Amino acid sequence: MLRQNLEELRGKALQAVRDARDAAALETIRVGFLGKKGELTAILKRMGSLSPDERPSVGAFANDVRAAVESALESASGRIAEKELERRLAEETVDVTLPGNPFRAGRRHPMQTVLDDVTKIFLGMGFSVAEGPEVETTYYCFDALNHSPDHPARDPQDTFYFDDETILRTQTSSVQIRVMEKEKPPIRIISPGRTYRKDEIDATHSAHFHQIEGLAVDKGITMADLKGALHTMMTGLYGSGVKLRFRPHHFPYTEPSAEVDLQCFACQGKGCRMCKDEGWIEMLGSGMVHPAVLERCGVDPDVYSGFAFGVGIERLTLMRYKINDMRLLYENDVRFLRQF
Ligand SMILES: [Zn+2]
């Protein structure tokens, strides 16, 4: 009786497996026949009603049935997976003639464009690019640059200190010292990079900004070389009509020192809103490297002289693209940046 039940069960299960069309149907069959509450289990539970003589042979037959169903399930599962793959390959064929999804390319930040242009201009004059650390010592940022011990730039109100001797550099001029310590003249470098000051953030100030430092040291370098280099830079950036004005100033590390103004494009020097009625716009600081700075770096000031300047990349960029608020450069709003 049980043996007959088992035979019928096997026949039914194998037919069901042959009819199954997907993996879910196979799982239903597996659970329905072989699971804890499945038909085979139900039959095996009735083994107790058999005589002890019958049990071994019926038990062995039940195992054969289980094995037959399991193996049928397994081969059916392989067959179904293969069919599924074929179906998907046929269905998901890519039509390469369809137009692609538009990809919106980014573009360079206007400050990067200005930096690249300035770099190209100076490379053309025989300069190379030098880099220095943003976390700097007070020696390289102040002492070596001739700042007196009580110079206001050292004030913790103006400068970010880590400890008494370690700061975020307030200017890229520290790189001048590092280069002169390592290299013998002739030296011609520019050094672009980030600088930090404790400034309140407004349309013309930021606690974090960018400078390009320039340094040339050689025999016979004069103020005329400084003026020529800066004129070349400004002409390259703003066109051949630029007018520069050198105004006496004081920096501890240059002597003489000059601030450099650019004649206002908007009013040609007559005075307007853009230049706050000055006719000129202050662009950068510069001068002849102070003999004491040269000497401290092991360069003989009786033989060599040099010029140096430091210019804000933000300032150059605002002027170039007539942007009136520096904060726009930092907000990374693509609607703004896409204009340049
Ligand atoms: Zn003006």
Side-chain angles (χ1 to χ4, degrees):
M1 184 59 189
L2 270 185
R3 177 178 279 272
Q4 200 189 332
N5 291 153
L6 284 169
E7 268 173 25
E8 282 168 16
L9 177 83
R10 179 173 62 181
K12 221 166 68 174
L14 296 181
Q15 184 58 47
V17 170
R18 277 194 292 275
D19 293 343
R21 287 287 162 266
D22 55 35
L26 287 181
E27 180 60 11
T28 308
I29 295 165
R30 195 188 62 75
V31 173
F33 287 98
L34 308 177
K36 265 188 210 159
K37 292 179 180 163
E39 293 185 40
L40 181 62
T41 319
I43 292 173
L44 292 178
K45 277 183 186 156
R46 284 153 49 205
M47 291 277 282
S49 67
L50 295 173
S51 70
D53 295 350
E54 285 176 308
R55 266 181 227 159
S57 68
V58 174
F61 184 57
N63 282 339
D64 288 349
V65 170
R66 173 184 287 278
V69 176
E70 277 174 352
S71 120
L73 281 170
E74 195 172 320
S75 59
S77 140
R79 167 175 58 84
I80 285 173
E82 221 167 89
K83 281 222 165 118
E84 174 69 7
L85 181 63
E86 275 171 27
R87 187 189 61 76
R88 280 179 45 200
L89 286 175
E91 218 171 65
E92 295 172 11
T93 308
V94 177
D95 183 351
V96 292
T97 63
L98 285 174
N101 295 324
F103 181 79
R104 193 171 268 163
R107 64 181 69 192
R108 275 190 295 183
H109 193 285
M111 276 172 55
Q112 186 65 49
T113 304
V114 167
L115 171 57
D116 289 348
D117 288 352
V118 172
T119 304
K120 254 182 256 164
I121 292 165
F122 278 96
L123 289 181
M125 290 190 277
F127 285 61
S128 58
V129 176
E131 287 190 334
E134 289 172 33
V135 175
E136 195 41 289
T137 63
T138 49
Y139 176 76
Y140 284 106
C141 224
F142 300 134
D143 301 308
L145 287 162
N146 236 12
H147 286 67
S148 60
D150 55 356
H151 192 277
R154 295 178 189 259
D155 194 321
Q157 299 263 17
D158 297 324
T159 298
F160 293 104
Y161 277 83
F162 293 98
D163 58 41
D164 288 351
E165 288 170 2
T166 320
I167 57 171
L168 283 174
R169 68 179 178 191
T170 55
Q171 52 182 357
T172 43
S173 303
S174 50
V175 184
Q176 289 182 25
I177 305 299
R178 291 184 173 274
V179 169
M180 283 193 283
E181 278 181 350
K182 272 202 308 246
E183 293 173 26
K184 295 277 149 269
I187 293 169
R188 278 175 183 74
I189 57 117
I190 56 164
S191 181
R194 289 192 188 89
T195 51
Y196 304 84
R197 286 179 204 175
K198 277 193 184 170
D199 270 331
E200 291 296 326
I201 293 164
D202 63 23
T204 52
H205 294 87
S206 166
H208 154 243
F209 54 103
H210 301 76
Q211 281 190 337
I212 303 170
E213 191 72 15
L215 173 72
V217 181
D218 203 348
K219 286 176 185 161
I221 296 259
T222 69
M223 199 84 181
D225 298 303
L226 169 66
K227 292 173 87 168
L230 291 177
H231 195 266
T232 304
M233 173 177 86
M234 293 301 191
T235 306
L237 283 178
Y238 301 117
S240 55
V242 296
K243 287 207 173 82
L244 294 180
R245 180 174 77 177
F246 287 72
R247 194 160 32 78
H249 197 74
H250 171 77
F251 299 111
Y253 40 100
T254 44
E255 181 59 39
S257 305
E259 283 206 312
V260 180
D261 303 333
L262 189 62
Q263 192 179 66
C264 180
F265 303 137
C267 64
Q268 258 73 41
K270 289 186 196 79
C272 69
R273 247 183 70 194
M274 192 172 160
C275 56
K276 296 187 185 108
D277 287 328
E278 294 287 327
W280 296 86
I281 296 171
E282 183 191 321
M283 292 300 287
L284 61 103
S286 67
M288 300 304 292
V289 181
H290 198 291
V293 173
L294 292 175
E295 208 158 7
R296 199 172 283 120
C297 297
V299 177
D300 184 349
D302 292 330
V303 180
Y304 294 102
S305 55
F307 71 72
F309 66 89
V311 59
I313 304 178
E314 280 83 350
R315 177 69 58 92
L316 293 175
T317 308
L318 297 179
M319 281 294 285
R320 179 143 183 206
Y321 298 108
K322 302 189 169 54
I323 302 167
N324 58 9
D325 192 327
M326 191 160 99
R327 288 168 291 195
L328 289 166
L329 296 174
Y330 302 131
E331 283 167 357
N332 287 335
D333 183 334
V334 289
R335 291 169 303 178
F336 170 75
L337 295 174
R338 217 176 272 143
Q339 301 173 70
F340 306 102

